[in-house]
Amino acid sequence: MASFVDDGLPARREDWPPGVLSALEEFTQGDVIACPQLVFHGSSSQPLTQTSQDYALEYEGDMPMQVHADDAPRWALVTSGTCDLAEADAPLPLKPFVQVSPIVDMAAMDGGKRKLVRQGKINYLIHVPLLSSYEQGFWVADLRFEYPVEKGWLASQERLKGFETERDQEAVGRAVAWLRERPAMSGDFVRLVARPVRTLLGELRASDREAADRLDQEIAEWAVAVDSRLEPKRVEIILFSEGVDPSAATQSWWREAVDHLREEAGDLLLIAGPRFERLDQISVSDYRRLTPLAKPHQKFSNE
């Protein structure tokens, strides 16, 4: 028996509705479109959002819930990969749906958090800067909600440009990929390594913004060598720079930070390092033995 997704799907590429696939060839991941009606399945007995709380005033039980028109976003961001849109290289397209995420105005957000969003440091929020030229606001795609739309609907939508350059737009793919592939790490690692590192970085930023910016610029990403991600006994911290070695000041800060982690962890977790490596010099095989963790300030799936 075929999947319901396959039921009714055109049996040949030429059987797709006229103009749909050719129109989709113009779309890319990160394009902005009008937001569709947003529906999700929720529980009125255990409401978590304003929409489900509103439903709980009139209904009982589990049911599909539609975001009220007054609260519905104006725009949405295409989050599916560009190759999955028109499926131009596929003799027979097999993906009738595209994922989109709502774009909301977060102008009321604290200025410090807005800066973090602009810098890509809140991993489920993507700043879409060019939309402010259409309507004043601080426009942000919220990846906590992704919604499927059929390609026939998408093909009829007007595309808006949300990013100045192709390189800027690649932030969408990176954010979606990080949310999907970031590793689940043990509670001990989060408690004894990840959170303390973020705390130390926050303290540095509060006391010496210039030094904090230098650390952020000089360390492209970090990684760990672990005997186990979920039940680690030993963790080695590796800091990656790109193109040039990190400055002596940056290396010194990280050595002191790891010494602090070691002292606090005691016998609970053996913490080694830091080891400094260059992304342009490490071999692919050596890199693949590690667990890359993106930037030190980013969170993990089980936090």
Side-chain angles (χ1 to χ4, degrees), residues 23-37:
L24 291 174
E25 290 179 2
E26 302 298 320
F27 283 83
T28 61
Q29 182 184 56
D31 281 345
V32 176
I33 59 171
C35 191
Q37 292 182 341

Side-chain angles (χ1 to χ4, degrees), residues 132-150:
S132 58
S133 64
Y134 296 95
E135 184 176 327
Q136 185 175 358
F138 184 68
W139 299 100
V140 178
D142 192 336
L143 300 185
R144 290 175 295 179
F145 191 106
E146 280 191 286
Y147 189 72
V149 297
E150 271 198 342

Side-chain angles (χ1 to χ4, degrees), residues 39-52:
V39 178
F40 62 91
H41 206 83
S43 172
S44 62
S45 61
Q46 301 182 70
L48 296 176
T49 64
Q50 187 61 56
T51 298
S52 54

Side-chain angles (χ1 to χ4, degrees), residues 46-83:
Q46 301 182 70
L48 296 176
T49 64
Q50 187 61 56
T51 298
S52 54
Q53 290 167 20
D54 290 343
Y55 269 75
L57 297 175
E58 298 186 48
Y59 306 100
E60 294 182 0
D62 302 339
M63 68 196 75
M65 300 177 177
Q66 181 175 321
V67 177
H68 192 276
D70 292 342
D71 301 320
R74 176 178 176 182
W75 293 302
L77 189 78
V78 176
T79 59
S80 292
T82 300
C83 293

Side-chain angles (χ1 to χ4, degrees), residues 256-294:
E256 291 180 10
V258 175
D259 284 344
H260 174 76
L261 300 181
R262 246 190 309 267
E263 181 179 346
E264 292 295 312
D267 296 333
L268 297 174
L269 182 66
L270 177 60
I271 301 176
R275 172 156 51 103
F276 296 92
E277 298 282 358
R278 291 258 299 273
L279 284 171
D280 56 330
Q281 294 179 350
I282 190 170
S283 70
V284 173
S285 60
D286 286 344
Y287 184 82
R288 285 178 174 171
R289 293 190 186 100
L290 306 175
T291 299
L293 302 174

Side-chain angles (χ1 to χ4, degrees), residues 15 85 155 207:
D15 292 337
L85 301 181
S207 63

